[in-house]
Amino acid sequence: MKKGRETMFIRRRAVKIWQVLLIVAIVLTVFMIMALMQGNYNLPTPETPFSQEVLEKMESISGSQDNLYATAFTFPEGDQEEERFVISLSGAGENGRRQTWNAIYYNQDGRMPYRMEKTEAVLDLPEGAEALEGLFPRLGAFWENRKTVFALFPDEKKAAKGETDVQLDVRDRFGEDGLLLKRESVSALAAESESSPSTASDAEKQESSETRIALDKEAEGIMTITISGGKVTEEEYQPGDCTEESFVLYRSGVQDGIRTETLLAVVNVEET
């Protein structure tokens, strides 16, 4: 007796509208929570990134209103649409440790232009760190006069033949006793591009070559730039011009895999 072919029918339940809406609501909620979490680290964008409003927001984010210190900063040259600089911070943490942050100002990376990002927790406050509240006014005065300062070095902005990654860069000198005149080191990009892992590792370990002088020594070819009352003046560097509160302006560029950083000027910002 020939058996007939049995056919199994699976009955699918219709998806109800409320189920679709529930899934959409869950997805939207997740995105909103992520946006809010990121938004808590966003900084306001007033006319100046060094306003009292920004300072208070940074203190609020870090939870360190009276204990927030700047440990480093870098301020490369850039026009107003491409501002990019980083202030490294140290604030109160948990279990006797300090929480470190980076305050990032950058309009061109597709993220919030002004924001804070957590980095790591450390035990001690680095030597020479400066209270952010005291540093902010000087950074603000430099920011307002940055184009004038960078314009003093038109030739230094130009790349030599075969040179890449040329920039002018104003930095801190927290914790430094002397003055760094010149440093040569293996470029990070050159080390990463090496085909042999062992060769790249050796390049990273290679010590940089530095030339430093004491602050009471003379140095040729360096300028002292003073920002005071909204005006920028320049003169030849004299021993004693560089203090704990001075900024330093370097030119850096990469050639044949070697990055060379050369001191151009000491920048003093006088509070008025």
Side-chain angles (χ1 to χ4, degrees), residues 97-114:
R97 302 175 74 86
R98 298 190 65 84
Q99 178 65 54
T100 57
W101 301 78
N102 279 333
I104 300 173
Y105 298 71
Y106 187 32
N107 284 318
Q108 302 297 313
D109 63 355
R111 301 174 62 185
M112 288 301 297
Y114 301 145

Side-chain angles (χ1 to χ4, degrees), residues 162-165 182-191 203 206-209 251-261:
E163 191 177 29
T164 61
D165 198 21
K182 187 174 183 179
R183 176 164 54 206
E184 294 183 345
S185 56
V186 176
S187 166
L189 292 177
Q206 180 176 332
E207 294 184 1
S208 60
S209 172
R251 179 194 188 273
S252 67
V254 177
Q255 192 166 37
D256 297 329
I258 301 297
R259 177 176 295 279
T260 301
E261 301 163 271

Side-chain angles (χ1 to χ4, degrees), residues 23-67:
I23 294 173
V24 172
I26 292 174
V27 173
L28 290 176
T29 301
V30 171
F31 275 105
M32 289 180 64
I33 292 175
M34 293 178 63
L36 287 173
M37 291 177 64
Q38 179 63 38
N40 288 337
Y41 291 167
N42 292 338
L43 296 171
T45 54
E47 293 183 359
T48 168
F50 300 103
S51 67
Q52 183 66 25
E53 178 187 3
V54 175
L55 175 61
E56 293 175 356
K57 181 63 174 179
M58 292 169 74
E59 293 174 336
S60 175
I61 291 174
S62 67
S64 302
Q65 280 77 4
D66 300 320
N67 195 21

Side-chain angles (χ1 to χ4, degrees), residues 6 44-45 61 71 78 84 93-94 117 124 147 169 178 187 191 205 207 211 230 232 249 260:
E6 295 181 0
T45 54
I61 291 174
T71 59
R84 51 187 178 93
E94 298 179 350
E117 294 181 352
D124 301 316
K147 293 184 178 180
D169 181 19
S187 166
K205 292 179 181 179
E207 294 184 1
T211 302
V232 177
L249 190 157
T260 301

Side-chain angles (χ1 to χ4, degrees), residues 46-223:
E47 293 183 359
T48 168
F50 300 103
S51 67
Q52 183 66 25
E53 178 187 3
V54 175
L55 175 61
E56 293 175 356
K57 181 63 174 179
M58 292 169 74
E59 293 174 336
S60 175
I61 291 174
S62 67
S64 302
Q65 280 77 4
D66 300 320
N67 195 21
L68 188 59
Y69 288 84
T71 59
F73 75 82
T74 176
F75 199 133
E77 180 196 19
D79 60 42
Q80 192 169 1
E81 296 303 317
E82 296 180 353
E83 293 292 357
R84 51 187 178 93
F85 48 97
V86 179
I87 307 174
S88 298
L89 304 170
S90 176
E94 298 179 350
N95 301 321
R97 302 175 74 86
R98 298 190 65 84
Q99 178 65 54
T100 57
W101 301 78
N102 279 333
I104 300 173
Y105 298 71
Y106 187 32
N107 284 318
Q108 302 297 313
D109 63 355
R111 301 174 62 185
M112 288 301 297
Y114 301 145
R115 62 186 184 273
M116 285 178 66
E117 294 181 352
K118 280 187 177 181
T119 54
E120 59 182 354
V122 298
L123 285 174
D124 301 316
L125 181 67
E127 183 179 354
E130 181 176 350
L132 185 62
E133 185 177 11
L135 176 65
F136 238 53
R138 303 205 315 278
L139 283 176
F142 173 78
W143 187 85
E144 293 174 355
N145 295 276
R146 65 200 183 284
K147 293 184 178 180
T148 302
V149 172
F150 288 129
L152 296 174
F153 304 94
D155 294 335
E156 286 76 4
K157 299 178 185 179
K158 301 175 183 177
K161 185 177 181 180
E163 191 177 29
T164 61
D165 198 21
V166 175
Q167 68 176 16
L168 304 184
D169 181 19
V170 170
R171 313 171 190 170
D172 67 273
R173 50 181 310 277
F174 300 150
E176 293 189 6
D177 295 328
L179 196 57
L180 174 65
L181 298 181
K182 187 174 183 179
R183 176 164 54 206
E184 294 183 345
S185 56
V186 176
S187 166
L189 292 177
E192 291 175 1
S193 65
E194 295 288 348
S195 58
S196 170
S198 60
T199 304
S201 178
D202 292 340
E204 291 171 357
K205 292 179 181 179
Q206 180 176 332
E207 294 184 1
S208 60
S209 172
E210 297 184 349
T211 302
R212 292 179 178 269
I213 61 169
L215 298 183
D216 59 356
K217 300 296 183 181
E218 294 185 356
E220 297 181 355
I222 301 174
M223 304 301 297

